Amino acid sequence: MNLLITRHDKIGDFVVTLPLFKAIKEQYPKTKLTALVSKVNYEFAQEIDFIDDVILFDKNDLSKTQKEIKSKKFDASISAYIDISLGKILFKSKIKKRVAPATKIAQLFFNKRVKQKRSKVEKTEWQYNLDLAKKLFPDMKLDFTRPLLDMDVNKEKRVVFHAGFGGSSDGNLTLDDYINLARSIKDSDYEIAFSFGPDDDKSKEYINKNIDFEATIFDSKVSLLEFTKYIASSYLFVSTSTGPMHLAGATNTKTLSFFGDSLFASAKRWGTISDEKNQNNFTVPKEYSVEVYKKIENRLKELVSE
């Protein structure tokens, strides 16, 4: 089968779709898998060994994207996230079997719809994505080898704090409390590092100015693959529930993660693709208490003393 799998949004959203790719490739190795992704994930997707080909979802030139898809003559497509623009492209590309969740008006462009009540949060997002494969491969086992991404790096005694807000402070600590957390383990034998995304200049400037202990400032303006390797070589990754957290989970790195206090934003839905023993998940309300912070700090201290 010549199969297109689409996920054309953010980093974390793409990572939680990777189990779908890997499970199909491992169980049906003759299937050619092509990923349709957004610009932020394009180069990263090209480096993943269980993805055979990558197409850019060019939101500035959708006709170009459509022509490329049509030229590949896909037998089927699976879309983990849909909108009308994507639906139109796949329909006009004359892909015979188009699988998607039965959500939104965009489902009208897909002829193999899967009923999923994702709002009920009965499983994680990556498990919902994996379920879509059953529409094309009814006998497929919903499993894959771990870790999801094997970066082949050596672990170092390093704790990374990724203080990016992702546009919202809900489900995250303040920058001061990230500094407080790091300070609480400054006398341990672990290297302390702060990492930042391309849009985190203000956070980086604030932390650089206010830390009063030894710490590495790691600028994440490297490639996504190099950043993933850096995370994978670390002992622990501390962050809110955003893309870098999912990169950590994909490499089965220990995580200390912060989630919003709604069911939609919870760890129950957005938990990482890692062994449960490596997940340390905390619900952090927008106006969180000192008690919430203390629980997180105590768990951090436990982890670096194990």
Side-chain angles (χ1 to χ4, degrees):
M1 185 184 292
N2 187 14
L3 177 61
L4 176 68
I5 299 179
T6 79
R7 186 83 202 213
H8 62 296
D9 40 0
K10 297 178 181 179
I11 295 169
D13 300 301
F14 174 60
V15 174
V16 296
T17 309
L18 290 178
L20 175 62
F21 286 89
K22 193 169 189 181
I24 292 173
K25 178 56 75 173
E26 288 183 337
Q27 296 175 51
Y28 304 91
K30 291 184 179 179
T31 301
K32 181 179 180 181
L33 293 181
T34 299
L36 177 68
V37 299
S38 59
K39 185 178 179 181
V40 71
N41 292 311
Y42 183 69
E43 291 183 2
F44 182 54
Q46 291 177 314
E47 299 288 346
I48 297 173
D49 60 6
F50 48 85
I51 295 177
D52 300 305
D53 196 9
V54 184
I55 298 174
L56 173 65
F57 183 86
D58 189 345
K59 60 184 180 181
N60 296 317
D61 193 349
L62 292 177
S63 61
K64 178 184 175 184
T65 301
Q66 184 187 317
K67 285 178 184 176
E68 186 171 0
I69 292 172
K70 193 172 182 179
S71 71
K72 303 283 186 180
K73 297 181 179 178
F74 292 107
D75 300 309
S77 65
I78 300 176
S79 299
Y81 166 80
I82 61 173
D83 55 30
I84 290 175
S85 295
L86 175 72
K88 284 182 177 179
I89 285 175
L90 299 183
F91 178 77
K92 290 179 179 178
S93 299
K94 297 183 179 179
I95 299 174
K96 290 183 179 179
K97 298 176 182 178
R98 301 180 304 282
V99 179
T103 57
K104 307 179 182 178
I105 195 169
Q107 69 175 286
L108 297 174
F109 293 99
F110 298 84
N111 56 10
K112 289 191 172 292
R113 295 184 283 272
V114 180
K115 289 184 179 179
Q116 292 183 321
K117 301 279 188 179
R118 295 195 183 199
S119 60
K120 289 187 175 180
V121 192
E122 294 173 334
K123 56 185 75 176
T124 58
E125 187 76 0
W126 67 264
Q127 288 170 321
Y128 278 120
N129 292 333
L130 198 51
D131 285 343
L132 297 172
K134 284 282 192 177
K135 206 71 175 177
L136 295 179
F137 306 96
D139 299 325
M140 192 177 102
K141 296 176 182 177
L142 301 179
D143 201 8
F144 51 92
T145 57
R146 311 295 185 103
L148 177 65
L149 297 177
D150 188 354
M151 292 288 107
D152 192 26
V153 293
N154 295 320
K155 284 287 183 187
E156 299 176 22
K157 297 196 77 172
R158 181 195 306 122
V159 178
V160 180
F161 296 85
H162 189 85
F165 279 75
S168 172
S169 59
D170 190 21
N172 203 4
L173 300 183
T174 64
L175 293 177
D176 284 329
D177 276 342
Y178 271 101
I179 294 171
N180 291 334
L181 268 187
R183 186 185 292 113
S184 75
I185 60 166
K186 69 181 177 65
D187 295 325
S188 71
D189 56 352
Y190 281 82
E191 175 195 352
I192 294 172
F194 287 91
S195 65
F196 303 90
D199 301 319
D200 292 335
D201 287 342
K202 288 184 179 179
S203 299
K204 180 169 67 174
E205 183 181 341
Y206 184 88
I207 286 178
N208 227 337
K209 183 180 177 181
N210 288 279
I211 52 175
D212 54 1
F213 49 89
E214 188 175 341
T216 302
I217 301 297
F218 180 84
D219 196 332
S220 310
K221 291 176 183 175
V222 295
S223 73
L224 209 49
L225 179 67
E226 287 304 311
F227 185 36
T228 305
K229 286 182 176 180
Y230 181 74
I231 294 171
S233 67
S234 303
Y235 168 70
L236 177 67
F237 191 77
V238 183
S239 73
T240 188
S241 50
T242 188
M245 177 199 74
H246 287 293
L247 293 173
T251 63
N252 209 25
T253 300
K254 285 184 185 295
T255 52
L256 183 62
S257 308
F258 316 130
F259 295 83
D261 61 352
S262 67
L263 186 60
F264 177 80
S266 68
K268 192 175 178 184
R269 180 168 186 185
W270 293 105
T272 55
I273 309 161
S274 56
D275 296 341
E276 284 191 22
K277 67 181 181 180
N278 287 335
Q279 299 181 37
N280 299 273
N281 300 326
F282 288 86
T283 299
V284 179
K286 195 162 189 175
E287 302 294 333
Y288 61 89
S289 64
V290 174
E291 288 75 22
V292 168
Y293 168 79
K294 276 298 181 185
K295 284 181 181 178
I296 294 168
E297 183 183 290
N298 289 339
R299 183 58 184 146
L300 173 63
K301 289 178 178 177
E302 288 172 1
L303 287 167
V304 297
S305 63
E306 286 180 354

PDB file of all heavy atoms in Angstrom, residues 230-255:
ATOM      1  N   TYR A 230      19.565  16.188  22.453  1.00  0.00           N
ATOM      2  CA  TYR A 230      19.983  16.836  23.702  1.00  0.00           C
ATOM      3  C   TYR A 230      19.058  16.422  24.846  1.00  0.00           C
ATOM      4  O   TYR A 230      19.517  16.079  25.941  1.00  0.00           O
ATOM      5  CB  TYR A 230      19.961  18.353  23.525  1.00  0.00           C
ATOM      6  CG  TYR A 230      20.399  19.129  24.750  1.00  0.00           C
ATOM      7  CD1 TYR A 230      21.741  19.189  25.114  1.00  0.00           C
ATOM      8  CD2 TYR A 230      19.471  19.810  25.530  1.00  0.00           C
ATOM      9  CE1 TYR A 230      22.151  19.909  26.231  1.00  0.00           C
ATOM     10  CE2 TYR A 230      19.870  20.530  26.646  1.00  0.00           C
ATOM     11  CZ  TYR A 230      21.203  20.572  26.994  1.00  0.00           C
ATOM     12  OH  TYR A 230      21.601  21.280  28.099  1.00  0.00           O
ATOM     13  N   ILE A 231      17.758  16.424  24.571  1.00  0.00           N
ATOM     14  CA  ILE A 231      16.784  15.990  25.575  1.00  0.00           C
ATOM     15  C   ILE A 231      17.027  14.520  25.931  1.00  0.00           C
ATOM     16  O   ILE A 231      17.058  14.144  27.107  1.00  0.00           O
ATOM     17  CB  ILE A 231      15.342  16.179  25.066  1.00  0.00           C
ATOM     18  CG1 ILE A 231      15.023  17.672  24.897  1.00  0.00           C
ATOM     19  CG2 ILE A 231      14.339  15.523  26.019  1.00  0.00           C
ATOM     20  CD1 ILE A 231      13.688  17.938  24.200  1.00  0.00           C
ATOM     21  N   ALA A 232      17.206  13.683  24.896  1.00  0.00           N
ATOM     22  CA  ALA A 232      17.369  12.244  25.109  1.00  0.00           C
ATOM     23  C   ALA A 232      18.624  11.918  25.912  1.00  0.00           C
ATOM     24  O   ALA A 232      18.670  10.900  26.613  1.00  0.00           O
ATOM     25  CB  ALA A 232      17.414  11.522  23.758  1.00  0.00           C
ATOM     26  N   SER A 233      19.640  12.773  25.838  1.00  0.00           N
ATOM     27  CA  SER A 233      20.877  12.525  26.572  1.00  0.00           C
ATOM     28  C   SER A 233      20.809  13.050  28.002  1.00  0.00           C
ATOM     29  O   SER A 233      21.771  12.915  28.763  1.00  0.00           O
ATOM     30  CB  SER A 233      22.066  13.168  25.841  1.00  0.00           C
ATOM     31  OG  SER A 233      21.972  14.576  25.871  1.00  0.00           O
ATOM     32  N   SER A 234      19.678  13.664  28.367  1.00  0.00           N
ATOM     33  CA  SER A 234      19.512  14.224  29.708  1.00  0.00           C
ATOM     34  C   SER A 234      18.793  13.233  30.623  1.00  0.00           C
ATOM     35  O   SER A 234      18.071  12.344  30.156  1.00  0.00           O
ATOM     36  CB  SER A 234      18.715  15.529  29.640  1.00  0.00           C
ATOM     37  OG  SER A 234      19.346  16.453  28.776  1.00  0.00           O
ATOM     38  N   TYR A 235      18.961  13.412  31.911  1.00  0.00           N
ATOM     39  CA  TYR A 235      18.312  12.529  32.891  1.00  0.00           C
ATOM     40  C   TYR A 235      16.836  12.877  33.058  1.00  0.00           C
ATOM     41  O   TYR A 235      15.980  11.985  33.140  1.00  0.00           O
ATOM     42  CB  TYR A 235      19.024  12.641  34.239  1.00  0.00           C
ATOM     43  CG  TYR A 235      18.276  11.995  35.390  1.00  0.00           C
ATOM     44  CD1 TYR A 235      18.160  10.601  35.482  1.00  0.00           C
ATOM     45  CD2 TYR A 235      17.667  12.779  36.370  1.00  0.00           C
ATOM     46  CE1 TYR A 235      17.461  10.007  36.525  1.00  0.00           C
ATOM     47  CE2 TYR A 235      16.978  12.193  37.421  1.00  0.00           C
ATOM     48  CZ  TYR A 235      16.866  10.814  37.491  1.00  0.00           C
ATOM     49  OH  TYR A 235      16.162  10.231  38.531  1.00  0.00           O
ATOM     50  N   LEU A 236      16.521  14.178  33.090  1.00  0.00           N
ATOM     51  CA  LEU A 236      15.163  14.620  33.394  1.00  0.00           C
ATOM     52  C   LEU A 236      14.841  15.886  32.613  1.00  0.00           C
ATOM     53  O   LEU A 236      15.684  16.774  32.465  1.00  0.00           O
ATOM     54  CB  LEU A 236      15.032  14.895  34.897  1.00  0.00           C
ATOM     55  CG  LEU A 236      13.691  15.445  35.411  1.00  0.00           C
ATOM     56  CD1 LEU A 236      12.580  14.407  35.264  1.00  0.00           C
ATOM     57  CD2 LEU A 236      13.816  15.889  36.875  1.00  0.00           C
ATOM     58  N   PHE A 237      13.595  15.956  32.111  1.00  0.00           N
ATOM     59  CA  PHE A 237      13.136  17.133  31.368  1.00  0.00           C
ATOM     60  C   PHE A 237      11.932  17.714  32.096  1.00  0.00           C
ATOM     61  O   PHE A 237      10.926  17.028  32.294  1.00  0.00           O
ATOM     62  CB  PHE A 237      12.761  16.738  29.935  1.00  0.00           C
ATOM     63  CG  PHE A 237      12.526  17.916  29.029  1.00  0.00           C
ATOM     64  CD1 PHE A 237      13.591  18.639  28.515  1.00  0.00           C
ATOM     65  CD2 PHE A 237      11.235  18.297  28.691  1.00  0.00           C
ATOM     66  CE1 PHE A 237      13.382  19.725  27.668  1.00  0.00           C
ATOM     67  CE2 PHE A 237      11.017  19.386  27.852  1.00  0.00           C
ATOM     68  CZ  PHE A 237      12.094  20.099  27.334  1.00  0.00           C
ATOM     69  N   VAL A 238      12.052  18.983  32.498  1.00  0.00           N
ATOM     70  CA  VAL A 238      11.018  19.663  33.282  1.00  0.00           C
ATOM     71  C   VAL A 238      10.367  20.725  32.409  1.00  0.00           C
ATOM     72  O   VAL A 238      11.044  21.633  31.914  1.00  0.00           O
ATOM     73  CB  VAL A 238      11.623  20.313  34.544  1.00  0.00           C
ATOM     74  CG1 VAL A 238      10.529  20.955  35.396  1.00  0.00           C
ATOM     75  CG2 VAL A 238      12.420  19.287  35.357  1.00  0.00           C
ATOM     76  N   SER A 239       9.023  20.647  32.230  1.00  0.00           N
ATOM     77  CA  SER A 239       8.370  21.605  31.331  1.00  0.00           C
ATOM     78  C   SER A 239       6.859  21.553  31.490  1.00  0.00           C
ATOM     79  O   SER A 239       6.308  20.662  32.137  1.00  0.00           O
ATOM     80  CB  SER A 239       8.715  21.283  29.870  1.00  0.00           C
ATOM     81  OG  SER A 239       8.013  20.118  29.443  1.00  0.00           O
ATOM     82  N   THR A 240       6.196  22.504  30.842  1.00  0.00           N
ATOM     83  CA  THR A 240       4.760  22.428  30.685  1.00  0.00           C
ATOM     84  C   THR A 240       4.436  21.439  29.568  1.00  0.00           C
ATOM     85  O   THR A 240       5.344  20.939  28.886  1.00  0.00           O
ATOM     86  CB  THR A 240       4.167  23.822  30.384  1.00  0.00           C
ATOM     87  OG1 THR A 240       2.739  23.729  30.418  1.00  0.00           O
ATOM     88  CG2 THR A 240       4.597  24.326  29.017  1.00  0.00           C
ATOM     89  N   SER A 241       3.170  21.139  29.354  1.00  0.00           N
ATOM     90  CA  SER A 241       2.762  20.113  28.378  1.00  0.00           C
ATOM     91  C   SER A 241       2.745  20.699  26.965  1.00  0.00           C
ATOM     92  O   SER A 241       1.691  21.048  26.430  1.00  0.00           O
ATOM     93  CB  SER A 241       1.389  19.554  28.741  1.00  0.00           C
ATOM     94  OG  SER A 241       0.467  20.606  28.964  1.00  0.00           O
ATOM     95  N   THR A 242       3.944  20.788  26.395  1.00  0.00           N
ATOM     96  CA  THR A 242       4.096  21.359  25.067  1.00  0.00           C
ATOM     97  C   THR A 242       4.960  20.430  24.225  1.00  0.00           C
ATOM     98  O   THR A 242       5.337  19.346  24.665  1.00  0.00           O
ATOM     99  CB  THR A 242       4.712  22.777  25.181  1.00  0.00           C
ATOM    100  OG1 THR A 242       4.683  23.406  23.915  1.00  0.00           O
ATOM    101  CG2 THR A 242       6.120  22.730  25.722  1.00  0.00           C
ATOM    102  N   GLY A 243       5.291  20.861  22.999  1.00  0.00           N
ATOM    103  CA  GLY A 243       6.022  20.005  22.070  1.00  0.00           C
ATOM    104  C   GLY A 243       7.283  19.370  22.625  1.00  0.00           C
ATOM    105  O   GLY A 243       7.481  18.149  22.496  1.00  0.00           O
ATOM    106  N   PRO A 244       8.188  20.144  23.253  1.00  0.00           N
ATOM    107  CA  PRO A 244       9.410  19.535  23.800  1.00  0.00           C
ATOM    108  C   PRO A 244       9.145  18.423  24.813  1.00  0.00           C
ATOM    109  O   PRO A 244       9.895  17.460  24.896  1.00  0.00           O
ATOM    110  CB  PRO A 244      10.118  20.733  24.437  1.00  0.00           C
ATOM    111  CG  PRO A 244       9.689  21.894  23.600  1.00  0.00           C
ATOM    112  CD  PRO A 244       8.238  21.619  23.288  1.00  0.00           C
ATOM    113  N   MET A 245       8.071  18.547  25.598  1.00  0.00           N
ATOM    114  CA  MET A 245       7.711  17.469  26.525  1.00  0.00           C
ATOM    115  C   MET A 245       7.443  16.180  25.748  1.00  0.00           C
ATOM    116  O   MET A 245       7.846  15.083  26.162  1.00  0.00           O
ATOM    117  CB  MET A 245       6.473  17.852  27.343  1.00  0.00           C
ATOM    118  CG  MET A 245       5.992  16.735  28.280  1.00  0.00           C
ATOM    119  SD  MET A 245       4.271  16.930  28.836  1.00  0.00           S
ATOM    120  CE  MET A 245       3.374  16.465  27.324  1.00  0.00           C
ATOM    121  N   HIS A 246       6.742  16.300  24.616  1.00  0.00           N
ATOM    122  CA  HIS A 246       6.433  15.110  23.816  1.00  0.00           C
ATOM    123  C   HIS A 246       7.689  14.539  23.160  1.00  0.00           C
ATOM    124  O   HIS A 246       7.800  13.320  22.988  1.00  0.00           O
ATOM    125  CB  HIS A 246       5.364  15.432  22.778  1.00  0.00           C
ATOM    126  CG  HIS A 246       3.998  15.590  23.368  1.00  0.00           C
ATOM    127  ND1 HIS A 246       3.314  14.538  23.923  1.00  0.00           N
ATOM    128  CD2 HIS A 246       3.208  16.675  23.508  1.00  0.00           C
ATOM    129  CE1 HIS A 246       2.138  14.957  24.378  1.00  0.00           C
ATOM    130  NE2 HIS A 246       2.060  16.247  24.144  1.00  0.00           N
ATOM    131  N   LEU A 247       8.646  15.392  22.828  1.00  0.00           N
ATOM    132  CA  LEU A 247       9.928  14.895  22.316  1.00  0.00           C
ATOM    133  C   LEU A 247      10.636  14.081  23.394  1.00  0.00           C
ATOM    134  O   LEU A 247      11.202  13.021  23.120  1.00  0.00           O
ATOM    135  CB  LEU A 247      10.811  16.061  21.873  1.00  0.00           C
ATOM    136  CG  LEU A 247      10.333  16.855  20.655  1.00  0.00           C
ATOM    137  CD1 LEU A 247      11.217  18.079  20.439  1.00  0.00           C
ATOM    138  CD2 LEU A 247      10.317  15.992  19.401  1.00  0.00           C
ATOM    139  N   ALA A 248      10.591  14.571  24.630  1.00  0.00           N
ATOM    140  CA  ALA A 248      11.186  13.830  25.750  1.00  0.00           C
ATOM    141  C   ALA A 248      10.504  12.483  25.929  1.00  0.00           C
ATOM    142  O   ALA A 248      11.159  11.452  26.091  1.00  0.00           O
ATOM    143  CB  ALA A 248      11.084  14.659  27.034  1.00  0.00           C
ATOM    144  N   GLY A 249       9.185  12.490  25.898  1.00  0.00           N
ATOM    145  CA  GLY A 249       8.434  11.248  26.052  1.00  0.00           C
ATOM    146  C   GLY A 249       8.728  10.254  24.943  1.00  0.00           C
ATOM    147  O   GLY A 249       8.806   9.043  25.175  1.00  0.00           O
ATOM    148  N   ALA A 250       8.893  10.758  23.726  1.00  0.00           N
ATOM    149  CA  ALA A 250       9.160   9.880  22.580  1.00  0.00           C
ATOM    150  C   ALA A 250      10.496   9.172  22.704  1.00  0.00           C
ATOM    151  O   ALA A 250      10.682   8.080  22.168  1.00  0.00           O
ATOM    152  CB  ALA A 250       9.113  10.683  21.285  1.00  0.00           C
ATOM    153  N   THR A 251      11.433   9.776  23.443  1.00  0.00           N
ATOM    154  CA  THR A 251      12.740   9.154  23.661  1.00  0.00           C
ATOM    155  C   THR A 251      12.798   8.406  24.994  1.00  0.00           C
ATOM    156  O   THR A 251      13.858   7.914  25.386  1.00  0.00           O
ATOM    157  CB  THR A 251      13.859  10.212  23.620  1.00  0.00           C
ATOM    158  OG1 THR A 251      13.666  11.147  24.688  1.00  0.00           O
ATOM    159  CG2 THR A 251      13.856  10.953  22.291  1.00  0.00           C
ATOM    160  N   ASN A 252      11.672   8.344  25.683  1.00  0.00           N
ATOM    161  CA  ASN A 252      11.526   7.666  26.973  1.00  0.00           C
ATOM    162  C   ASN A 252      12.408   8.278  28.056  1.00  0.00           C
ATOM    163  O   ASN A 252      12.886   7.595  28.967  1.00  0.00           O
ATOM    164  CB  ASN A 252      11.800   6.162  26.856  1.00  0.00           C
ATOM    165  CG  ASN A 252      11.022   5.363  27.895  1.00  0.00           C
ATOM    166  OD1 ASN A 252       9.977   5.797  28.380  1.00  0.00           O
ATOM    167  ND2 ASN A 252      11.512   4.192  28.237  1.00  0.00           N
ATOM    168  N   THR A 253      12.613   9.590  27.945  1.00  0.00           N
ATOM    169  CA  THR A 253      13.341  10.336  28.965  1.00  0.00           C
ATOM    170  C   THR A 253      12.396  10.661  30.119  1.00  0.00           C
ATOM    171  O   THR A 253      11.209  10.918  29.896  1.00  0.00           O
ATOM    172  CB  THR A 253      13.893  11.643  28.359  1.00  0.00           C
ATOM    173  OG1 THR A 253      14.768  11.310  27.275  1.00  0.00           O
ATOM    174  CG2 THR A 253      14.647  12.474  29.391  1.00  0.00           C
ATOM    175  N   LYS A 254      12.911  10.644  31.347  1.00  0.00           N
ATOM    176  CA  LYS A 254      12.072  11.009  32.497  1.00  0.00           C
ATOM    177  C   LYS A 254      11.557  12.435  32.330  1.00  0.00           C
ATOM    178  O   LYS A 254      12.295  13.330  31.916  1.00  0.00           O
ATOM    179  CB  LYS A 254      12.877  10.923  33.801  1.00  0.00           C
ATOM    180  CG  LYS A 254      13.139   9.511  34.303  1.00  0.00           C
ATOM    181  CD  LYS A 254      13.860   9.566  35.640  1.00  0.00           C
ATOM    182  CE  LYS A 254      14.257   8.182  36.126  1.00  0.00           C
ATOM    183  NZ  LYS A 254      13.085   7.333  36.424  1.00  0.00           N
ATOM    184  N   THR A 255      10.280  12.641  32.668  1.00  0.00           N
ATOM    185  CA  THR A 255       9.682  13.965  32.563  1.00  0.00           C
ATOM    186  C   THR A 255       9.016  14.378  33.867  1.00  0.00           C
ATOM    187  O   THR A 255       8.468  13.541  34.592  1.00  0.00           O
ATOM    188  CB  THR A 255       8.619  14.012  31.436  1.00  0.00           C
ATOM    189  OG1 THR A 255       7.686  12.933  31.620  1.00  0.00           O
ATOM    190  CG2 THR A 255       9.246  13.913  30.062  1.00  0.00           C
TER     191      THR A 255
END
